Amino acid sequence: MCWTSSSTPPPPSTEIDSILAVTHGFLAALNTKSRLEFEKHCIRAGAMSLSPPSPTPLRFCTIGSFIEYIATLQSDIQERIWDPEVKVQEGGNLAAVWASFRAKVNGVVNHVGVEIFILHKIQGEWKVTGLADSCRRPTEEEMGME
């Protein structure tokens, strides 16, 4: 699915595919806790705003500090997105991906919500430069999600 203005044609699918590959690569790095894989898909100086389930308050950090935190976790993390919507600046270097997500911690659905990836094209490659999420505890039905 792609967000576009009805008066402008959608960006080429290869551009959207490239953007989605970077977001999926970022999530794969999260799942493996690989600093090296994160480096391929993002800019450490980028910003994050994370909205954990209530009552934990909204948190802000750099992508780099998030990577360092994730790399130390012992828990198994599996996060995935679905139905991503992509918006690309026509002829530019800015894109956004809005997607529902679910995160499993040690095999149990821990939280669900929406993630927004901000990407910039830097030296011909898309990189995650920002990320925001809003999440909540899963319903009973969502606890059974794959």
Side-chain angles (χ1 to χ4, degrees), residues 65-86:
S65 63
F66 175 80
I67 291 168
E68 293 309 313
Y69 170 74
I70 291 298
T72 67
L73 293 179
Q74 297 301 309
S75 300
D76 176 51
I77 301 170
Q78 295 297 316
E79 188 166 312
R80 74 171 195 88
I81 61 172
W82 64 91
D83 295 332
E85 297 182 47
V86 178

Side-chain angles (χ1 to χ4, degrees), residues 95-118:
V97 177
W98 173 293
S100 297
F101 81 99
R102 73 100 181 99
K104 286 185 175 182
V105 178
N106 297 324
V108 177
V109 178
N110 183 271
H111 53 282
V112 298
V114 172
E115 288 184 318
I116 302 169
F117 294 84
I118 303 299

Side-chain angles (χ1 to χ4, degrees), residues 8 19 31 44 46 61 68 77-79 87-88 94 102-103 110-111 121 126 136 142:
T8 59
I19 291 163
N31 294 342
R44 283 180 160 264
C61 64
E68 293 309 313
I77 301 170
Q78 295 297 316
E79 188 166 312
K87 186 169 184 165
V88 182
L94 177 64
R102 73 100 181 99
N110 183 271
H111 53 282
K121 195 174 230 183
W126 289 104
R136 60 178 170 72
E142 291 166 330

Side-chain angles (χ1 to χ4, degrees), residues 16-26 41:
I16 291 172
D17 292 342
S18 296
I19 291 163
L20 290 173
V22 170
T23 60
H24 287 291
F26 184 93
H41 305 290

Side-chain angles (χ1 to χ4, degrees), residues 6-51:
S6 60
S7 63
T8 59
S13 64
T14 55
E15 197 78 296
I16 291 172
D17 292 342
S18 296
I19 291 163
L20 290 173
V22 170
T23 60
H24 287 291
F26 184 93
L27 292 174
L30 171 65
N31 294 342
T32 61
K33 302 180 195 94
S34 169
R35 289 178 179 99
L36 183 61
E37 288 302 309
F38 271 118
E39 297 293 336
K40 293 178 185 177
H41 305 290
C42 65
I43 301 298
R44 283 180 160 264
M48 296 181 83
S49 60
L50 305 170
S51 180

